[in-house]
Amino acid sequence: MTTPKPALSRTFFDAFWIQNTGLVVLLGLCPLLAVSSTVINGLGLGLATTLVLIISNLSVSLARGLLRPEIRIPAFVLIIASAVTVTELLMQAYWFDLYRVLGIFIPLIVTNCAIIGRAEAFASRNGPVASLVDGLGTGLGFCLTLVLLGALREFLGQGTLLADAHLLLGDAGQALTLTLIPDHPGFLLALLPPGAFIGLGLLIAARNAWQHRKQRLLVSQAGGTATAHDRNLHAQV
Amino acid sequence: MSGASTSVAFWRSGLLLGLIALLGVALLVGVYDLTRTRIAAQEHQLMMQQLSEVLPRSYYDNDLVSDVTTLTDRGAFGHDRPIRIFRARQNGQPSAVIMEVVAPDGYNGDIRLLAGISQDNRITGVRVVSHRETPGLGDPIERRRSDWIESFRGRSLSDPPVERWTVRSEGGDFDQFTGATITPRAVVHALARALAYHEQRSDKIFAREADRDDA
């Protein structure tokens, strides 16, 4: 949004990392915290959300010339609800076991503020290609957060990584499960909701530390002329 | 802005919204139609798989899924939830039932179980269908987390005697889990109630009308 037509790679990186839904904008926390108990659950919901974001961003962008301001929001809601239901049906048909694990959180993707947020803040003002890239970036960014938090919680809580991979990948996934701590007695806190909050806090802190370090390096290299990237955090809830 | 142009804009917006809704519905109808048979097949397969885990296929030759009766009995089960019972028959003769048992007194809400019970009042198998017990504490009732649920296979109300149908800490025959007594106790008690019900009313269960096809 700083330049009239930023490069697609810039659009992607902005959505994926600079404005990461889970770690920076802090939207969609309800599914994020609820489903991130294992890597596979996180990955499943992350990919489903990505698909919804791509469909909704693309549709909103295509319809943006027609949408008058007063019907904008109801139109977004209709589009997003359709996209979520399509995704739900597809998952039910092709990833039935995972669908059963994720359960209510699939239809609840519709309430993920990140989706209507991107429709409003990006797709309604940009062309279909850029919007598609933005949807992909936002979705994969959300997915990244889910997977990282899932890995953290699964490792600490059960001592495994990628448990139940067959839910997502079929029988081939069975071999992917890594038992990193054999006979792990289980660390319940990591699996319960407080563990999700603490884990997310740690991830946000880690990301901030990383960004600060990078910024300091940039500043010292450029002799203090580097400008901080314009972060649009207006959509906080 | 004149009244006429406002109303034109009003109608345009409304029609546009209607058009978007229509497109959404069309898309959903299309996807629903494409996935419908596959989803039904998945659900049927899941059902058959769950049923076969609690009652071996050798027990019956009828179409279990369509020979179902639903009843409620507060006195026998201690709750009002409808209980579905699948009736297994071999050559037309009653051979076993699969009951949807509900344990209403778990740590967190209902624990729903499927229990196979043969005509000689023995449990042929039990599986947890759904629960909201604490992860890591109560969830060893799930088959994929521990084999505790298998300890019911072959048991009846005389093995162990009915007063020992509870957890060990209360003088029973069934293990509790570290840090969780309420969850396994709820399951044990619910199964004991189901066995008692079956023992007394097996004939009535088989005499009932089958549910109308609700699928």
Side-chain angles (χ1 to χ4, degrees):
Chain A
M1 272 165 265
T2 45
T3 49
K5 218 174 174 22
L8 287 181
S9 60
R10 183 77 232 172
T11 302
F12 180 83
F13 187 68
D14 256 19
F16 180 75
W17 183 250
I18 303 296
Q19 299 200 47
N20 186 291
T21 309
L23 297 178
V24 181
V25 191
L26 303 184
L27 286 179
L29 291 191
C30 173
L32 179 71
L33 295 170
V35 177
S36 60
S37 53
T38 68
V39 176
I40 289 299
N41 287 1
L43 189 61
L45 186 76
L47 292 177
T49 309
T50 305
L51 182 62
V52 171
L53 268 161
I54 290 174
I55 301 176
S56 85
N57 260 14
L58 191 62
S59 317
V60 167
S61 172
L62 288 172
R64 74 187 189 285
L66 301 168
L67 292 179
R68 305 171 59 86
E70 60 272 22
I71 58 158
R72 195 178 75 242
I73 300 293
F76 292 166
V77 171
L78 278 172
I79 290 172
I80 294 168
S82 306
V84 169
T85 313
V86 165
T87 307
E88 186 187 357
L89 286 170
L90 289 176
M91 281 193 78
Q92 214 175 342
Y94 296 99
W95 291 275
F96 188 64
D97 292 323
L98 188 67
Y99 171 81
R100 288 180 54 225
V101 173
L102 297 179
I104 187 68
F105 288 99
I106 297 299
L108 278 185
I109 291 176
V110 83
T111 64
N112 187 331
C113 313
I115 295 167
I116 201 159
R118 291 326 285 171
E120 167 78 6
F122 196 95
S124 64
R125 300 166 195 182
N126 289 279
V129 178
S131 297
L132 191 144
V133 170
D134 178 77
L136 186 70
T138 308
L140 291 182
F142 186 62
C143 197
L144 173 81
T145 316
L146 272 164
V147 168
L148 286 180
L149 191 54
L152 188 71
R153 292 177 68 192
E154 189 182 338
F155 174 66
L156 293 177
Q158 315 180 18
T160 61
L161 280 180
L162 292 164
D164 299 327
H166 61 281
L167 295 182
L168 194 60
L169 306 167
D171 291 333
Q174 213 98 45
L176 284 175
T177 301
L178 303 171
T179 306
L180 299 172
I181 312 176
D183 299 323
H184 187 42
F187 179 50
L188 196 56
L189 178 68
L191 295 175
L192 292 177
F197 280 100
I198 295 168
L200 183 66
L202 291 174
L203 285 183
I204 294 172
R207 187 197 175 279
N208 285 350
W210 165 276
Q211 288 299 103
H212 281 304
R213 213 179 91 92
K214 226 173 86 178
Q215 208 131 53
R216 269 209 311 279
L217 280 177
L218 272 177
V219 170
S220 63
Q221 273 169 12
T225 54
T227 52
H229 187 81
D230 171 33
R231 290 182 197 172
N232 270 312
L233 301 182
H234 59 268
Q236 299 230 16
V237 169
Chain B
M1 202 183 251
S2 76
S5 73
T6 315
S7 102
V8 167
F10 181 79
W11 280 105
R12 260 195 54 178
S13 296
L15 282 176
L16 193 61
L17 212 49
L19 185 70
I20 292 175
L22 205 65
L23 283 176
V25 169
L27 178 71
L28 288 187
V29 168
V31 174
Y32 174 74
D33 210 49
L34 282 175
T35 53
R36 189 179 45 182
T37 44
R38 217 187 139 91
I39 291 172
Q42 298 267 28
E43 276 166 357
H44 184 78
Q45 197 192 339
L46 173 73
M47 195 74 193
M48 288 312 290
Q49 190 213 324
Q50 282 180 334
L51 294 179
S52 72
E53 281 176 22
V54 298
L55 184 70
R57 196 73 183 79
S58 56
Y59 270 88
Y60 57 95
D61 55 12
N62 62 330
D63 180 15
L64 212 49
V65 182
S66 63
D67 195 351
V68 180
T69 184
T70 307
L71 49 86
T72 57
D73 191 330
R74 189 176 183 82
F77 297 111
H79 59 77
D80 290 326
R81 323 290 195 279
I83 308 279
R84 278 205 299 173
I85 303 180
F86 300 83
R87 295 174 292 190
R89 300 170 203 261
Q90 187 82 273
N91 302 321
Q93 292 303 309
S95 59
V97 296
I98 296 176
M99 289 174 78
E100 284 185 338
V101 179
V102 180
D105 45 358
Y107 190 69
N108 188 16
D110 287 355
I111 304 170
R112 309 188 73 89
L113 308 154
L114 269 184
I117 303 174
S118 58
Q119 275 307 91
D120 58 352
N121 293 310
R122 289 187 173 277
I123 288 181
T124 58
V126 187
R127 283 291 180 273
V128 174
V129 179
S130 68
H131 73 89
R132 283 180 291 162
E133 302 301 293
T134 316
L137 286 180
D139 62 6
I141 54 173
E142 290 175 31
R143 180 63 189 91
R144 65 194 189 104
R145 303 214 182 262
S146 89
D147 55 6
W148 178 81
I149 202 82
E150 294 292 341
S151 62
F152 294 101
R153 198 180 286 272
R155 299 304 189 92
S156 71
L157 284 183
S158 48
D159 169 30
V162 66
E163 65 275 9
R164 299 232 305 267
W165 271 81
T166 186
V167 289
R168 285 199 201 286
S169 61
E170 296 180 347
D173 262 30
F174 297 95
D175 291 331
Q176 63 258 30
F177 312 133
T178 317
T181 307
I182 296 173
T183 306
R185 186 177 56 200
V187 172
V188 174
H189 289 178
L191 289 171
R193 282 194 299 268
L195 276 173
Y197 187 87
H198 181 261
E199 206 166 285
Q200 291 155 18
R201 271 163 272 201
S202 171
D203 297 345
K204 288 203 181 110
I205 292 173
F206 278 94
R208 286 174 63 95
E209 284 275 307
D211 292 348
R212 296 270 161 256
D213 192 10
D214 56 351

